[in-house]
Amino acid sequence: MKYDLMIRGGDVIDPGSGLRGHMDVAIAGGKIVEVAPSLREADARKTISAKDRLVIPGLVDVHAHIFVNCSDMGEHTDRLCNSSGVTTVCDAGSAGSANFAGLRFVIDKAVRTRARAFVNLSAIGIVGTARSGELAHFPYADPEGCAQTIAENRDIAIGVKLRYGPGIVWEYTTEPVKAARKAADMAGVPMMVHITDSPLPLPEMLAHMKPGDIVTHCLHGRSHGIMGPERQLILKEVVEAQRHGVIFDCAHGRSHFNFPLIEKALDQGFLPDTVSTDLTFGSATRGPVFDMTTTMSKLLHFGVGLDDVVLRATATPAKILGLEGIAGTLRPGANADIAILELRDEACEFRDSDGNTVTGKRRLVTHLTLKDGRVLYERPAE
Ligand SMILES: [Zn+2]
């Protein structure tokens, strides 16, 4: 047999590879080996029909929390990711230099979802809530330890995380941003900066960011976001930074996704570069996030095109994680990470992080999730 598995007759959407249309996807040895219309069914040991379904690369969630901690997915990581088509997840700074070994243990031993991580500038990371101090006490800032942790964990540690918010950093100046910059430069990796409710205007932070760095929670509706305190027009510094390669990540979360701001931003031609969840156990079970496909469905509702949404949940985040050509793509040679979804026409209520609701007409539903050619999730019959 030429193929272990064939996914037949689905509507392939992989904008990162330019693959689009009615095609079969053939898998052998855990890799994608062929994507073409009408492959020979007799060449496959097993086939899965994807008729009337979308066949897209396994989703890549570039901002979530998986450490076993107060506000992470912990032991629920695989279930919550895989049931939403996610095959690769990145922990956005739950751990720092002092407890990264614990996160490493989780990634190596406790999750089958492919995982990468940003290392928090704070040695203690996000332990519990902001009350734990994260970076409220200057001695917790550990640029050297952060860079060293990344150097010692190159296979999974891909960047530096700074959460810049009230009560999280030790002073409301650019000093915390400079410390994160120092750690990122020492390790030769990008930094991701959380900007929700920042006491500092975003342009002051952007001044310290380089192409490849990530502004996360870019669609929050609180002070000092992409539209400044007025929340009317996208700041020119934001447009410039995005044009020069700074990445704007949405990371929905409990506090970072505001429908009125999203409508205004889209009207002005702003699109986030990546779609991500900031998922924790709480936001997955109580909402408003629930999962990756729900976040994608919300953006579809506000008029973002399906290809644009898929690209931002697959190839673009895969590149940030150093997985270009390996994950987030259906190109032959890549790992066979595949999500079979349905764009279902039905009324659904969507909620943002600030209590606003809208009634949508369609949503993405996950039917099957494959990683390395193996089925990790199959939707129960309805
Ligand atoms: Zn987060």
Side-chain angles (χ1 to χ4, degrees):
M1 286 284 179
K2 210 166 150 194
Y3 312 127
D4 298 330
L5 178 65
M6 190 188 297
I7 296 170
R8 284 181 59 83
D11 191 2
V12 167
I13 302 182
D14 178 12
S17 313
L19 293 165
R20 184 76 154 93
H22 213 69
M23 284 189 267
D24 301 329
V25 180
I27 295 159
K31 306 273 185 199
I32 293 168
V33 290
E34 226 168 320
V35 183
S38 311
L39 293 173
R40 246 168 60 97
E41 191 168 0
D43 287 336
R45 197 163 289 138
K46 195 181 163 209
T47 60
I48 292 172
S49 170
K51 193 172 174 296
D52 302 325
R53 305 274 191 253
L54 310 176
V55 177
I56 68 172
L59 300 174
V60 180
D61 190 348
V62 78
H63 184 153
H65 294 276
I66 70 169
F67 199 23
V68 181
N69 209 323
C70 300
S71 61
D72 297 319
M73 286 189 272
E75 63 188 299
H76 307 285
T77 297
D78 287 331
R79 181 172 60 81
L80 296 171
C81 287
N82 303 161
S83 62
S84 181
V86 173
T87 50
T88 303
V89 65
C90 184
D91 182 281
S94 303
S97 58
N99 50 8
F100 193 81
L103 178 58
R104 160 117 239 170
F105 186 84
V106 169
I107 290 175
D108 288 346
K109 309 280 186 199
V111 296
R112 61 188 178 187
T113 307
R114 186 176 296 103
R116 298 291 183 269
F118 286 89
V119 181
N120 203 308
L121 174 65
S122 164
I124 62 169
I126 310 171
V127 280
T129 67
R131 258 176 304 172
S132 64
E134 195 167 339
L135 282 171
H137 310 298
F138 173 68
Y140 286 169
D142 184 17
E144 288 82 11
C146 181
Q148 193 187 339
T149 300
I150 293 166
E152 289 168 357
N153 295 275
R154 287 281 176 203
D155 54 336
I156 55 169
I158 54 94
V160 173
K161 177 73 185 289
L162 168 67
R163 292 208 307 153
Y164 196 107
I168 305 176
V169 290
W170 69 91
E171 62 177 57
Y172 300 153
T173 67
T174 55
E175 287 308 310
V177 186
K178 286 183 199 162
R181 170 85 280 148
K182 181 179 167 191
D185 288 348
M186 274 193 287
V189 295
M191 64 175 176
M192 175 186 264
V193 182
H194 156 128
I195 61 158
T196 304
D197 227 3
S198 160
L200 209 63
L202 183 52
E204 290 188 36
M205 293 197 226
L206 288 172
H208 296 275
M209 297 181 77
K210 297 177 181 174
D213 288 336
I214 300 139
V215 170
T216 193
H217 308 310
C218 70
L219 299 177
H220 79 75
R222 307 190 181 188
S223 74
H224 292 320
I226 56 173
M227 297 186 188
E230 298 80 16
R231 291 195 284 277
Q232 294 302 326
L233 289 172
I234 302 283
L235 300 173
K236 64 179 193 310
E237 292 90 345
V238 167
V239 175
E240 276 291 286
Q242 193 177 35
R243 195 151 56 87
H244 283 103
V246 171
I247 292 155
F248 287 77
D249 170 45
C250 84
H252 187 321
R254 272 167 297 187
S255 325
H256 323 292
F257 207 73
N258 179 272
F259 289 162
L261 181 120
I262 290 169
E263 284 193 277
K264 264 189 222 166
L266 294 174
D267 273 352
Q268 292 171 43
F270 177 88
L271 265 182
D273 297 290
T274 51
V275 177
S276 67
T277 60
D278 193 18
L279 210 59
T280 59
F281 184 71
S283 65
T285 49
R286 292 189 293 275
V289 186
F290 298 109
D291 56 24
M292 189 70 163
T293 42
T294 304
T295 304
M296 293 164 74
S297 299
K298 289 174 184 178
L299 291 171
L300 289 174
H301 172 79
F302 286 107
V304 183
L306 183 57
D307 289 64
D308 283 331
V309 169
V310 171
L311 176 69
R312 285 159 175 76
T314 57
T316 306
K319 190 174 174 195
I320 295 167
L321 302 184
L323 294 168
E324 197 175 8
I326 296 167
T329 173
L330 298 178
R331 205 176 298 149
N335 290 0
D337 292 6
I338 299 170
I340 300 181
L341 309 182
E342 173 192 0
L343 189 51
R344 185 180 290 180
D345 292 311
E346 67 180 9
C348 37
E349 182 161 283
F350 296 127
R351 184 156 47 96
D352 72 3
S353 304
D354 300 309
N356 302 298
T357 57
V358 291
T359 303
K361 292 194 182 75
R362 52 183 197 163
R363 67 185 179 98
L364 289 165
V365 174
T366 306
H367 282 272
L368 195 91
T369 307
L370 288 163
K371 176 174 169 272
D372 300 318
R374 304 175 91 160
V375 176
L376 295 187
Y377 169 82
E378 200 169 355
R379 188 176 186 79
E382 285 166 58

